[in-house]
Amino acid sequence: MWMARMSVVTSALVILSILVGASVDHAAAAGLSYEFYKESCPMLEEIVRKEVTRIYYIHGNAAISFARNIFHDCAVQGCDGSLMLKSLPGHEGEQASERNFGMRNFKYVDEIKASIESACPGVVSCADVVILSGRDGIAMLGGPHFEVRLGRRDTREFSRSAADAILPPHDTDVDTFLKFMGNFNLSIPQAVALIGAHTVGRTHCIHLVDRLYPTVDPTLNGTYAEYLKKRCPTPNPPPNAVLYSRNDRGTPMIFDNNYFRNIMQLKGSLRLDNALYLDPRTRPYVERMAKDNSYFFATFVEAMSIFTEYKVLTGNEGEIRKQCKSVN
Ligand SMILES: *[C@@H]1O[C@H](CO)[C@@H](O)[C@H](O)[C@H]1NC(C)=O
Ligand SMILES: *[C@@H]1O[C@H](CO)[C@@H](O)[C@H](O)[C@H]1NC(C)=O
């Protein structure tokens, strides 16, 4: 009697665990999860954190590059590692797009990927390495630390023209910007928080001079315009990325809400930066984020989780690249 009941219970458990197992597998195949590499690469997050820390102390700006990679990869057909693919003879990749001008330090992403490959070969996508290294880069710069869902797969498709068509130009306006962010289902405060990443990094003179010459953009702080003219002394800067101005003169290497205080004084490098303060739709959030760093961080993290999960490849789609710079 006892035995019989046991076996009924046991077989019920077996059936239950088959069902649970099936639904777990299905969930993993269908999407992303916080524990995606728990079995297949348990040291992953530690490896990336160590690598990002190591690289940060060699080249602090690389942490900013890692953060930028997230935006520039995910914006173009979802976070799929497409940004990392080098141009081939006769086929230009996203890195060749004018919209990605000045993006650099891609080699470090491949260094991180190589460390991961030696611990768990063929398992972790470059798309996820972009997300994890960007996330850790933001934390190294003093920004918020947050958990991310993983399990993205890498695309084999990449083209300069996709980046040209999708990434907003440097002189974008608030309407275009909000529409662009709306495509990712980001709210206005989330969009404002994401652009707060301009608290680090630099703007190249080729993207500044049209606000300085022949006449100074009236939405630019006059004192600040004089400084920018010193940084960019000629209306025709050289086409390489040598002349630039830091986005946040106060704390250029710290991920904080100083960006919002700057744009309230009309000291944003890009037209859009100041426009976010001048536009009544975005101004209340600029003012609130300028006052409240934890509101900025919390909204930024919300925005990142939406933005980084938009239209990703999962399951059997795409591939797991061996190195980030080329398809397998
Ligand atoms: C878009 O955002 C709204 C509000 O946050 C949410 O209810 C909706 O499910 C989201 N839609 C998609 C497709 O993610
Ligand atoms: C422009 O910058 C100066 C110097 O930093 C500052 O004192 C002034 O308030 C700013 N102007 C505006 C309109 O915010």
Side-chain angles (χ1 to χ4, degrees), residues 55 66 69 84 105-114 126 129-130 133 324:
I55 293 163
F66 296 154
N69 287 343
M84 293 298 134
N105 295 322
F106 296 119
K107 65 174 182 195
Y108 292 121
V109 176
D110 261 308
E111 285 185 17
I112 299 170
K113 171 68 164 160
C126 291
V129 176
V130 166
S133 56
C324 297

Side-chain angles (χ1 to χ4, degrees), residues 161-182:
S161 54
D164 286 344
I166 295 166
L167 290 169
H170 73 277
D171 59 351
T172 199
D173 59 20
V174 176
D175 273 339
T176 314
F177 169 71
L178 291 181
K179 195 159 166 275
F180 173 79
M181 291 298 190

Side-chain angles (χ1 to χ4, degrees), residues 143-198:
H145 176 79
F146 47 96
E147 298 302 319
V148 289
R149 276 187 275 261
L150 300 169
R152 294 166 192 77
R153 309 257 307 172
D154 297 323
T155 187
R156 295 190 191 93
E157 281 160 37
F158 66 111
S159 72
R160 173 194 178 139
S161 54
D164 286 344
I166 295 166
L167 290 169
H170 73 277
D171 59 351
T172 199
D173 59 20
V174 176
D175 273 339
T176 314
F177 169 71
L178 291 181
K179 195 159 166 275
F180 173 79
M181 291 298 190
N183 292 340
F184 298 91
N185 204 28
L186 290 165
S187 68
I188 292 179
Q190 287 164 348
V192 169
L194 264 197
I195 210 87
H198 284 173

Side-chain angles (χ1 to χ4, degrees), residues 14 35 163 215 242:
V14 168
E35 313 221 300
T215 52
V242 290

Side-chain angles (χ1 to χ4, degrees), residues 15 99 161 191:
I15 289 165
R99 303 283 160 89
S161 54

Side-chain angles (χ1 to χ4, degrees), residues 43-297:
M43 301 293 281
L44 171 62
E45 298 204 22
E46 200 179 322
I47 295 169
V48 177
R49 188 165 48 245
K50 278 194 178 146
E51 282 290 278
V52 169
T53 306
R54 177 184 69 80
I55 293 163
Y56 173 84
Y57 286 111
I58 298 169
H59 190 169
N61 283 313
I64 300 171
S65 301
F66 296 154
R68 284 192 83 197
N69 287 343
I70 294 186
F71 298 100
H72 288 247
D73 186 30
C74 298
V76 182
Q77 37 183 66
C79 319
D80 57 7
S82 54
L83 174 66
M84 293 298 134
L85 292 166
K86 296 272 177 227
S87 296
L88 299 170
H91 181 80
E92 283 189 309
E94 292 178 19
Q95 292 176 18
S97 169
E98 144 68 13
R99 303 283 160 89
N100 285 323
F101 181 84
M103 301 272 305
R104 61 217 177 100
N105 295 322
F106 296 119
K107 65 174 182 195
Y108 292 121
V109 176
D110 261 308
E111 285 185 17
I112 299 170
K113 171 68 164 160
S115 301
I116 298 166
E117 284 300 292
S118 53
C120 1
V123 170
V124 180
S125 68
C126 291
D128 280 342
V129 176
V130 166
I131 300 298
L132 286 171
S133 56
R135 185 273 302 262
D136 289 351
I138 290 165
M140 283 307 294
L141 296 162
H145 176 79
F146 47 96
E147 298 302 319
V148 289
R149 276 187 275 261
L150 300 169
R152 294 166 192 77
R153 309 257 307 172
D154 297 323
T155 187
R156 295 190 191 93
E157 281 160 37
F158 66 111
S159 72
R160 173 194 178 139
S161 54
D164 286 344
I166 295 166
L167 290 169
H170 73 277
D171 59 351
T172 199
D173 59 20
V174 176
D175 273 339
T176 314
F177 169 71
L178 291 181
K179 195 159 166 275
F180 173 79
M181 291 298 190
N183 292 340
F184 298 91
N185 204 28
L186 290 165
S187 68
I188 292 179
Q190 287 164 348
V192 169
L194 264 197
I195 210 87
H198 284 173
T199 178
V200 290
R202 56 183 70 178
T203 301
H204 296 283
C205 289
I206 65 157
H207 293 155
L208 279 168
V209 286
D210 56 355
R211 300 186 75 198
L212 302 172
Y213 306 103
T215 52
V216 171
D217 174 352
T219 70
L220 194 54
N221 182 307
T223 319
Y224 195 62
E226 289 312 308
Y227 166 75
L228 291 178
K229 280 183 168 175
K230 286 197 193 110
R231 299 291 310 172
C232 307
T234 146
N236 299 302
N240 54 18
V242 290
L243 292 182
Y244 64 88
S245 173
R246 300 269 190 190
N247 289 335
D248 173 5
R249 271 178 89 189
T251 55
M253 294 299 288
I254 313 265
F255 194 103
D256 60 10
N257 63 345
N258 213 34
Y259 164 80
F260 296 104
R261 286 192 286 272
N262 288 337
I263 63 176
M264 288 177 69
Q265 292 196 319
L266 303 176
K267 293 176 181 171
S269 299
L270 299 178
R271 213 178 288 276
L272 175 68
D273 298 323
N274 292 345
L276 290 173
Y277 176 61
L278 298 172
D279 192 299
R281 290 170 292 180
T282 43
R283 181 179 192 139
Y285 304 108
V286 169
E287 288 174 332
R288 189 167 165 200
M289 288 179 204
K291 269 201 252 103
D292 185 348
N293 198 52
S294 47
Y295 171 67
F296 164 46
F297 279 12

